[in-house]
Amino acid sequence: MVAPLLRAALSTRKTLLRFPSPSLFSTACRKTHCPPPPVAKKVPFSATAHGVTWQDPYHWMSNTSDPDFTSYINQENSYADAFMRETLELQNTLYSEMLSRLPPDITTPSERWGPWLYYQCIPEGKEYPILYRKPAVESKGWVASIFSSSGGGFGREQVLLDWNDIAEKHGYVHVNTCRVSPDHRFLAYTVDTKGDEQFQLQIKDLGNDSVLPQPKVAGVVSLAWAQDSSTLFYTLCDQNLRPYRVLCTKLGSHSGDDAVILTENDSRFCLDIASTKDGKFITVNSNSRTSSEERTIVSISLAALQVWFINASNPHTGLQRFCRRVSGVQYFMEHHRGIFYVLTNAPTCKDKNFSGIGLYLARCRVDDAQSANLEDFFIPGDDMCLWDMDIFNGHLVLFLTKNGSVLTCSINMPIDFDNESEMEIDSLDPWFFPLPSDMCIIKPGSNDDFMNTVYRAVVSSPVIPDFTVDYDMSTRTFSIAHQEDVRNISADIQGDGSVGWKEWKDIYEKYSRNEEEVTTIDMHKHGSVWWKDYSEKYYCTMKEVISHDGVRIPMTILHSRAAYREGQSPGLLHGYGAYGDDLDKSWCPDQLSLLDRGWLLAFADVRGGAGPDRSWHERGRGLNKLNSIQDFVSCAQCLIDDGLIHKDRLSALGVSAGCLLVGAAANMHPQLFCAAILKVPFLDVLNSLLDPSLPLTTLDYEEFGNPQNQCCFEYILKYSPYENITEGACCPSMLVSAAFNDSRVGVWEAAKWVAKVRDTTCPSCSSAVILQTSMDEGHFGGGGRFASCREKAYDYAFLIKNSDWQRV
């Protein structure tokens, strides 16, 4: 998997609940023309908790070094090949379509940081990206000497890191974190070449293009440079992949000499480190969840429960504590001209009722830095939720939702510190960044230059290819720097699909106080304002679905205006709903291969994921997890009951924790879906959470509950997919994809699920359940852009094959 480079460069059985089944289900069994599927051996094993005993004859699979397990996985791979053999021509067709949409090479627009322009490129014919930089100004001094020694000159690019070289040497590459030193002379990065997420720290001298011999430490997660550019802080994982220790290394030292700065002994928490935007401080955070390289903004689930900070200009002065751990109270800190700005969910203002739902912005002076000394600065109103912030020398950027709409705004800095009461948003004179539509998603760029006045973001929607927007916070204008090049989209739309300023005017006037200063001429002066929009070819809308308890669940619907047939088309419902994370609904050109074949794609934003406010996560986790599952079922039933798709042609897709939704829903309604794809699936929920020796299990207690507690045990037992497979049911066809080296969700979870489904459900139907395991990858995969297309072609061919089994 390729991490976001620019950000990096610059974590007795209870009765099963039942729901009313959709009407007019088909009852015909699915039949295959393959040889019989493999039969896994059974080894007697019983488990007991809270007076309940259950049998698990496939428990032996958790020993992945057992030769019988490897043999079984290989047999399943062979069976999957046989099952999919008739789709080979279709796979090749789909793969060719996806490749035809890709440009020969992909280059991101450069971002300035100090004297350099950083950018990445995937060259023609290459799988993976290369990180480059070139001088933004004429090279002088040591900058010039670097380019002289490397054969470059003014304006010539320099290769910082080539993923392709690593992949060619090791066969697998996953770069997690990259950090360039403050003087831009060194690149520290972590790389996994096996798929087990034991990331190794490496430091590259950008002056002579060589990797330093020391340190090379395994199990490193986060990195932060001190201002001297020779002192590097890093977090180290324990055997359960929990970042539990902060260490400090000096360039040229031996890793055995690295000083231990802090150790988190409580297995419920992990440590994370980061530099403040201006580089003057390093924050050390104790979180209840490990961070993810895919995170683009701070969510409260990743804000710190306990915070320390280090003076980056004098790192050897040691840690200073900002706050002690208080149950439920979280913080995230930034620094600006001697003042810490702090996001927290615990306002200090005594006349405010603390709901524990929203985030608030507070502040205190560095020389008085204690959480007890915080002064409330901005507390959103009841109709607004604050999610995150970014900070620059002259501007503060806030990420908000208001009445469910996503908003991003900038506020001029500095702000008078002597106000005695918190401010309302309007009193801060915000400039709201315009977006083309409410369906758009905005993802921050790297924005590493503290002195910059331009905020870079990537904007997209299901019908708008990603485009990079530069929001000039000083002039309150914007320009489009780049848009993803998508080729070979059939041209049955008016014009070339380009739209411009006039489509943004209504939204811009709604949120901007300075619209009279922004004209079309200004836009053309600062850059192109045109972008590709395929909304005339592909229809996208948001539908509210009434769940079991009357709560309205947002569901995004996408289909081709030409190929879709209401009531007849097949459908694919995507689900996730965990950790307060968003379900990705951004532009994906691969999906056009389904849309152009008449498919309807739906995305269920169930409780437990991200939502209109932070309570959305709380209402779908722990002892509320069944809400997530019931929301997903309601969305599926809505697609059928409202006649949006054919009643027998609905499929489901889940990834990792999203498979919990799909597996549980399939158990509750075996004939709701005709097919399902479960990728690196979290399905053996109860058994995994009962085993604290597994990586990340203790960190997952906050999300799913700790089954050592009887109340949590009984609740998890109600929905855990592996424990609730319906006896004798006609189950949907399933493609279960696993990775042998997966350290987050053990490969045995997928294998146990498939074996038990085959053993428990209708033999005819379960023969269409296949297990496909990658033997040399991890949880996040390992393929580049071509391998990703090949994987999608395989998945889509499976869906098409199994949605067409009973056409009408």
Side-chain angles (χ1 to χ4, degrees):
M1 175 181 179
V2 179
L5 285 190
L6 289 180
R7 179 64 178 170
L10 289 39
S11 72
T12 318
R13 179 178 297 174
K14 300 296 178 180
T15 303
L16 182 66
L17 297 186
R18 299 290 180 180
F19 302 91
S21 298
S23 60
L24 302 178
F25 278 135
S26 168
T27 57
C29 292
R30 296 154 177 81
K31 299 182 184 296
T32 68
H33 303 287
C34 295
V39 177
K41 74 175 184 181
K42 294 182 178 182
V43 177
F45 180 86
S46 62
T48 300
H50 304 291
V52 179
T53 299
W54 64 99
Q55 303 301 314
D56 186 7
Y58 303 113
H59 174 80
W60 67 271
M61 292 184 180
S62 58
N63 179 14
T64 57
S65 61
D66 187 333
D68 287 348
F69 181 68
T70 305
S71 174
Y72 172 68
I73 291 295
N74 289 331
Q75 292 175 50
E76 288 287 0
N77 279 343
S78 296
Y79 181 73
D81 290 342
F83 183 87
M84 293 293 289
R85 188 167 293 125
E86 66 181 7
T87 71
L88 288 176
E89 183 176 349
L90 175 59
Q91 289 181 52
N92 290 331
T93 299
L94 292 165
Y95 179 65
S96 296
E97 289 175 7
M98 295 174 189
L99 287 187
S100 71
R101 300 187 193 105
L102 295 178
D105 56 72
I106 302 172
T107 302
T108 64
S110 60
E111 287 197 52
R112 180 165 181 165
W113 183 24
W116 299 93
L117 296 173
Y118 289 87
Y119 55 101
Q120 60 179 332
C121 175
I122 305 180
E124 184 172 358
K126 295 291 187 180
E127 280 271 13
Y128 301 100
I130 302 173
L131 179 63
Y132 293 95
R133 72 177 181 186
K134 61 183 178 182
V137 295
E138 184 176 358
S139 306
K140 296 180 180 180
W142 70 266
V143 175
S145 67
I146 286 181
F147 272 81
S148 175
S149 64
S150 62
F154 172 59
R156 296 284 296 276
E157 65 186 12
Q158 178 188 13
V159 174
L160 304 187
L161 188 62
D162 188 338
W163 273 243
N164 300 281
D165 288 347
I166 302 173
E168 289 173 10
K169 181 178 180 180
H170 298 281
Y172 176 89
V173 58
H174 180 179
V175 175
N176 187 53
T177 306
C178 298
R179 293 291 182 266
V180 175
S181 62
D183 64 2
H184 301 267
R185 300 181 73 124
F186 299 97
L187 172 67
Y189 62 96
T190 61
V191 61
D192 169 20
T193 57
K194 297 179 180 178
D196 59 1
E197 296 189 64
Q198 286 292 326
F199 292 94
Q200 185 178 75
L201 170 62
Q202 299 196 346
I203 302 175
K204 185 175 183 181
D205 186 333
L206 301 179
N208 57 27
D209 196 34
S210 65
V211 176
L212 302 184
Q214 297 293 344
K216 289 186 178 179
V217 185
V220 175
V221 179
S222 53
L223 306 170
W225 287 97
Q227 286 192 321
D228 61 10
S229 294
S230 64
T231 303
L232 180 68
F233 294 85
Y234 63 90
T235 56
L236 192 68
C237 283
D238 63 13
Q239 69 274 12
N240 287 339
L241 296 184
R242 180 180 68 94
Y244 79 112
R245 181 168 286 172
V246 176
L247 295 98
C248 177
T249 188
K250 290 285 288 186
L251 296 190
S253 67
H254 192 276
S255 59
D257 299 329
D258 293 353
V260 176
I261 305 301
L262 181 67
T263 299
E264 176 58 84
N265 293 314
D266 192 325
S267 63
R268 298 172 299 168
F269 304 101
C270 52
L271 295 177
D272 184 49
I273 55 173
S275 297
T276 57
K277 186 67 162 285
D278 59 4
K280 293 186 177 181
F281 293 91
I282 294 166
T283 58
V284 181
N285 309 309
S286 177
N287 305 315
S288 58
R289 180 185 164 208
T290 185
S291 60
S292 166
E293 75 281 359
E294 295 183 326
R295 180 171 66 86
T296 54
I297 63 175
V298 174
S299 66
I300 194 61
S301 62
L302 290 174
L305 299 169
Q306 196 167 9
V307 182
W308 299 262
F309 60 93
I310 300 171
N311 187 333
S313 62
N314 191 9
H316 301 293
T317 57
L319 289 170
Q320 299 180 63
R321 187 190 299 272
F322 173 75
C323 65
R324 294 183 181 274
R325 185 176 293 140
V326 176
S327 178
V329 177
Q330 300 174 313
Y331 301 92
F332 174 77
M333 294 173 59
E334 264 296 354
H335 175 259
H336 184 274
R337 301 187 189 179
I339 298 172
F340 282 129
Y341 285 81
V342 182
L343 282 178
T344 178
N345 60 346
T348 62
C349 187
K350 304 306 180 190
D351 61 354
K352 294 285 184 178
N353 291 323
F354 171 46
S355 65
I357 299 300
L359 283 179
Y360 308 85
L361 185 59
R363 58 188 180 180
C364 65
R365 298 187 184 277
V366 170
D367 55 11
D368 198 24
Q370 296 288 335
S371 58
N373 299 324
L374 281 176
E375 172 187 302
D376 288 335
F377 170 58
F378 169 55
I379 298 184
D382 294 338
D383 62 345
M384 182 176 288
C385 187
L386 174 61
W387 290 89
D388 195 11
M389 68 174 174
D390 200 349
I391 204 161
F392 297 81
N393 182 57
H395 301 90
L396 174 69
V397 178
L398 299 179
F399 300 84
L400 308 151
T401 53
K402 183 174 183 178
N403 297 322
S405 296
V406 176
L407 305 174
T408 308
C409 69
S410 65
I411 296 164
N412 292 335
M413 297 280 280
I415 301 170
D416 183 10
F417 189 72
D418 296 325
N419 289 330
E420 295 183 357
S421 61
E422 70 275 1
M423 297 183 177
E424 301 292 334
I425 187 67
D426 290 342
S427 65
L428 296 172
D429 187 27
W431 177 50
F432 288 94
F433 299 169
L435 292 173
S437 78
D438 289 339
M439 300 296 296
C440 280
I441 301 161
I442 182 167
K443 296 181 180 179
S446 58
N447 296 304
D448 283 289
D449 196 332
F450 179 70
M451 301 305 296
N452 207 345
T453 62
V454 173
Y455 187 83
R456 171 161 289 182
V458 177
V459 175
S460 76
S461 84
V463 295
I464 302 176
D466 293 6
F467 62 98
T468 303
V469 184
D470 287 337
Y471 294 100
D472 192 317
M473 298 177 287
S474 294
T475 62
R476 298 194 167 185
T477 60
F478 67 93
S479 60
I480 297 174
H482 174 266
Q483 184 169 22
E484 178 182 336
D485 185 11
V486 182
R487 304 185 173 195
N488 291 327
I489 296 182
S490 55
D492 55 355
I493 56 177
Q494 296 295 319
D496 63 357
S498 295
V499 295
W501 170 249
K502 65 181 185 298
E503 279 77 10
W504 282 27
K505 193 172 189 301
D506 290 342
I507 292 177
Y508 190 71
E509 288 179 347
K510 181 179 179 181
Y511 294 120
S512 175
R513 293 174 174 272
N514 295 47
E515 62 268 22
E516 70 279 2
E517 299 178 9
V518 185
T519 67
T520 304
I521 295 176
D522 290 328
M523 294 300 96
H524 283 290
K525 186 186 300 182
H526 291 89
S528 170
V529 298
W530 300 96
W531 69 91
K532 292 284 186 181
D533 181 319
Y534 295 104
S535 58
E536 292 187 36
K537 179 174 176 59
Y538 301 103
Y539 176 75
C540 182
T541 189
M542 196 276 284
K543 181 180 181 65
E544 289 189 332
V545 177
I546 306 300
S547 192
H548 68 106
D549 55 358
V551 173
R552 296 178 179 272
I553 310 302
M555 180 170 63
T556 301
I557 293 174
L558 176 66
H559 63 74
S560 165
R561 294 184 185 272
Y564 167 70
R565 296 291 180 266
E566 184 173 355
Q568 298 301 311
S569 282
L572 176 62
L573 180 63
H574 299 70
Y576 183 55
Y579 306 109
D581 289 343
D582 278 308
L583 179 62
D584 185 11
K585 298 181 287 293
S586 58
W587 170 263
C588 177
D590 295 341
Q591 291 177 166
L592 304 185
S593 290
L594 289 181
L595 294 173
D596 291 344
R597 286 173 170 80
W599 282 68
L600 179 146
L601 306 184
F603 304 83
D605 284 308
V606 304
R607 283 170 285 183
D613 59 52
R614 290 190 46 252
S615 69
W616 201 253
H617 177 213
E618 300 295 329
R619 290 187 280 166
R621 69 170 180 165
L623 296 179
N624 295 316
K625 189 61 192 174
L626 275 165
N627 283 338
S628 292
I629 300 164
Q630 292 162 333
D631 294 348
F632 190 73
V633 170
S634 296
C635 288
Q637 289 177 326
C638 175
L639 293 173
I640 295 172
D641 294 344
D642 286 7
L644 296 174
I645 62 169
H646 189 278
K647 62 184 178 65
D648 294 324
R649 303 181 69 193
L650 176 60
S651 299
L653 171 64
V655 179
S656 191
C659 297
L660 191 160
L661 297 185
V662 178
N667 286 339
M668 294 172 178
H669 297 288
Q671 293 179 319
L672 179 58
F673 304 108
C674 69
I677 294 180
L678 302 100
K679 304 180 78 68
V680 288
F682 185 38
L683 296 165
D684 194 11
V685 178
L686 181 64
N687 289 314
S688 290
L689 291 177
L690 280 169
D691 186 354
S693 69
L694 293 177
L696 306 182
T697 286
T698 55
L699 297 176
D700 267 340
Y701 287 159
E702 184 172 342
E703 183 68 23
F704 301 102
N706 182 353
Q708 302 294 342
N709 176 291
Q710 183 170 354
C711 181
C712 292
F713 170 82
E714 292 175 351
Y715 190 81
I716 294 169
L717 184 59
K718 291 179 182 179
Y719 68 77
S720 180
Y722 183 70
E723 272 68 44
N724 289 283
I725 298 171
T726 306
E727 186 81 29
C730 291
C731 67
S733 303
M734 297 183 197
L735 166 57
V736 184
S737 300
F740 196 85
N741 295 327
D742 192 338
S743 57
R744 290 179 178 257
V745 181
V747 61
W748 59 86
E749 292 211 22
K752 288 176 65 176
W753 168 263
V754 169
K756 189 172 181 181
V757 166
R758 296 241 190 86
D759 186 41
T760 306
T761 65
C762 165
S764 179
C765 292
S766 64
S767 63
V769 175
I770 62 174
L771 174 63
Q772 196 271 334
T773 303
S774 170
M775 303 303 291
D776 56 2
E777 293 182 356
H779 189 74
F780 296 106
R785 57 174 179 159
F786 303 131
S788 176
C789 289
R790 180 63 74 183
E791 180 181 332
K792 281 285 183 65
Y794 186 94
D795 292 348
Y796 289 178
F798 176 86
L799 291 175
I800 293 169
K801 167 186 169 73
N802 289 284
S803 70
D804 289 349
W805 72 274
Q806 194 187 43
R807 269 189 185 273
V808 294

mmCIF file of all heavy atoms in Angstrom, residues 9 97 151 166 169 199-200 369 416 528 653 662 673 807:
data_model
loop_
_atom_site.group_PDB
_atom_site.id
_atom_site.type_symbol
_atom_site.label_atom_id
_atom_site.label_comp_id
_atom_site.label_asym_id
_atom_site.label_seq_id
_atom_site.Cartn_x
_atom_site.Cartn_y
_atom_site.Cartn_z
ATOM 1 N N ALA A 9 6.152 13.280 3.956
ATOM 2 C CA ALA A 9 7.458 13.884 3.779
ATOM 3 C C ALA A 9 7.548 15.197 4.490
ATOM 4 O O ALA A 9 8.614 15.668 4.807
ATOM 5 C CB ALA A 9 7.759 14.060 2.300
ATOM 6 N N GLU A 97 -10.037 -2.161 -19.353
ATOM 7 C CA GLU A 97 -10.810 -0.924 -19.193
ATOM 8 C C GLU A 97 -10.181 -0.016 -18.147
ATOM 9 O O GLU A 97 -10.037 1.197 -18.358
ATOM 10 C CB GLU A 97 -12.241 -1.260 -18.768
ATOM 11 C CG GLU A 97 -13.097 -1.901 -19.829
ATOM 12 C CD GLU A 97 -14.466 -2.304 -19.297
ATOM 13 O OE1 GLU A 97 -14.787 -1.961 -18.146
ATOM 14 O OE2 GLU A 97 -15.202 -2.975 -20.029
ATOM 15 N N GLY A 151 24.904 15.950 -9.356
ATOM 16 C CA GLY A 151 24.798 16.116 -10.796
ATOM 17 C C GLY A 151 23.658 16.990 -11.225
ATOM 18 O O GLY A 151 23.347 17.101 -12.403
ATOM 19 N N ILE A 166 12.609 -0.328 -3.896
ATOM 20 C CA ILE A 166 12.421 -1.181 -2.711
ATOM 21 C C ILE A 166 11.618 -2.418 -3.080
ATOM 22 O O ILE A 166 11.935 -3.537 -2.656
ATOM 23 C CB ILE A 166 11.732 -0.383 -1.592
ATOM 24 C CG1 ILE A 166 12.553 0.854 -1.217
ATOM 25 C CG2 ILE A 166 11.511 -1.270 -0.362
ATOM 26 C CD1 ILE A 166 11.853 1.787 -0.243
ATOM 27 N N LYS A 169 13.593 -5.004 -4.981
ATOM 28 C CA LYS A 169 14.581 -5.702 -4.147
ATOM 29 C C LYS A 169 13.924 -6.704 -3.220
ATOM 30 O O LYS A 169 14.445 -7.805 -3.015
ATOM 31 C CB LYS A 169 15.373 -4.673 -3.340
ATOM 32 C CG LYS A 169 16.452 -5.294 -2.462
ATOM 33 C CD LYS A 169 17.232 -4.218 -1.725
ATOM 34 C CE LYS A 169 18.313 -4.827 -0.834
ATOM 35 N NZ LYS A 169 19.079 -3.783 -0.100
ATOM 36 N N PHE A 199 7.713 -1.943 10.823
ATOM 37 C CA PHE A 199 8.365 -0.920 10.008
ATOM 38 C C PHE A 199 9.770 -0.625 10.526
ATOM 39 O O PHE A 199 9.974 -0.400 11.721
ATOM 40 C CB PHE A 199 7.534 0.360 10.008
ATOM 41 C CG PHE A 199 6.222 0.228 9.297
ATOM 42 C CD1 PHE A 199 5.068 -0.091 9.995
ATOM 43 C CD2 PHE A 199 6.151 0.393 7.927
ATOM 44 C CE1 PHE A 199 3.859 -0.222 9.341
ATOM 45 C CE2 PHE A 199 4.943 0.256 7.258
ATOM 46 C CZ PHE A 199 3.795 -0.052 7.959
ATOM 47 N N GLN A 200 10.719 -0.600 9.609
ATOM 48 C CA GLN A 200 12.109 -0.323 9.959
ATOM 49 C C GLN A 200 12.432 1.136 9.702
ATOM 50 O O GLN A 200 12.104 1.687 8.648
ATOM 51 C CB GLN A 200 13.054 -1.207 9.161
ATOM 52 C CG GLN A 200 14.520 -1.045 9.573
ATOM 53 C CD GLN A 200 15.440 -1.964 8.802
ATOM 54 O OE1 GLN A 200 15.721 -1.727 7.633
ATOM 55 N NE2 GLN A 200 15.896 -3.027 9.449
ATOM 56 N N ALA A 369 1.768 26.589 30.531
ATOM 57 C CA ALA A 369 1.137 25.477 29.818
ATOM 58 C C ALA A 369 0.728 24.357 30.753
ATOM 59 O O ALA A 369 1.532 23.488 31.112
ATOM 60 C CB ALA A 369 2.075 24.946 28.738
ATOM 61 N N ASP A 416 -6.512 38.574 19.102
ATOM 62 C CA ASP A 416 -6.356 39.210 20.413
ATOM 63 C C ASP A 416 -6.535 38.189 21.524
ATOM 64 O O ASP A 416 -7.578 37.538 21.637
ATOM 65 C CB ASP A 416 -7.375 40.345 20.552
ATOM 66 C CG ASP A 416 -7.226 41.091 21.871
ATOM 67 O OD1 ASP A 416 -6.226 40.840 22.576
ATOM 68 O OD2 ASP A 416 -8.107 41.908 22.177
ATOM 69 N N SER A 528 -6.295 28.369 -13.528
ATOM 70 C CA SER A 528 -7.511 27.888 -14.168
ATOM 71 C C SER A 528 -8.595 27.632 -13.142
ATOM 72 O O SER A 528 -8.335 27.187 -12.030
ATOM 73 C CB SER A 528 -7.210 26.592 -14.933
ATOM 74 O OG SER A 528 -8.406 25.994 -15.366
ATOM 75 N N LEU A 653 -20.187 -5.092 0.190
ATOM 76 C CA LEU A 653 -18.732 -5.022 0.241
ATOM 77 C C LEU A 653 -18.290 -4.457 1.585
ATOM 78 O O LEU A 653 -18.787 -3.419 2.025
ATOM 79 C CB LEU A 653 -18.195 -4.120 -0.886
ATOM 80 C CG LEU A 653 -16.705 -3.766 -0.839
ATOM 81 C CD1 LEU A 653 -15.848 -5.021 -1.012
ATOM 82 C CD2 LEU A 653 -16.355 -2.751 -1.915
ATOM 83 N N VAL A 662 -21.131 -6.682 7.177
ATOM 84 C CA VAL A 662 -21.593 -7.556 6.096
ATOM 85 C C VAL A 662 -21.853 -8.967 6.621
ATOM 86 O O VAL A 662 -22.887 -9.583 6.325
ATOM 87 C CB VAL A 662 -20.576 -7.573 4.946
ATOM 88 C CG1 VAL A 662 -21.031 -8.521 3.839
ATOM 89 C CG2 VAL A 662 -20.363 -6.169 4.389
ATOM 90 N N PHE A 673 -28.546 -10.636 0.436
ATOM 91 C CA PHE A 673 -27.533 -10.363 -0.580
ATOM 92 C C PHE A 673 -27.339 -11.592 -1.461
ATOM 93 O O PHE A 673 -27.333 -12.721 -0.974
ATOM 94 C CB PHE A 673 -26.196 -10.007 0.070
ATOM 95 C CG PHE A 673 -26.275 -8.856 1.034
ATOM 96 C CD1 PHE A 673 -26.172 -9.070 2.404
ATOM 97 C CD2 PHE A 673 -26.452 -7.562 0.575
ATOM 98 C CE1 PHE A 673 -26.249 -8.025 3.296
ATOM 99 C CE2 PHE A 673 -26.541 -6.499 1.462
ATOM 100 C CZ PHE A 673 -26.435 -6.730 2.822
ATOM 101 N N ARG A 807 -30.827 -13.979 -13.621
ATOM 102 C CA ARG A 807 -31.344 -12.799 -14.304
ATOM 103 C C ARG A 807 -32.820 -12.970 -14.636
ATOM 104 O O ARG A 807 -33.298 -14.077 -14.854
ATOM 105 C CB ARG A 807 -30.577 -12.572 -15.617
ATOM 106 C CG ARG A 807 -29.360 -11.677 -15.475
ATOM 107 C CD ARG A 807 -28.842 -11.359 -16.862
ATOM 108 N NE ARG A 807 -27.620 -10.601 -16.806
ATOM 109 C CZ ARG A 807 -27.566 -9.288 -16.720
ATOM 110 N NH1 ARG A 807 -28.679 -8.596 -16.657
ATOM 111 N NH2 ARG A 807 -26.412 -8.662 -16.705
#
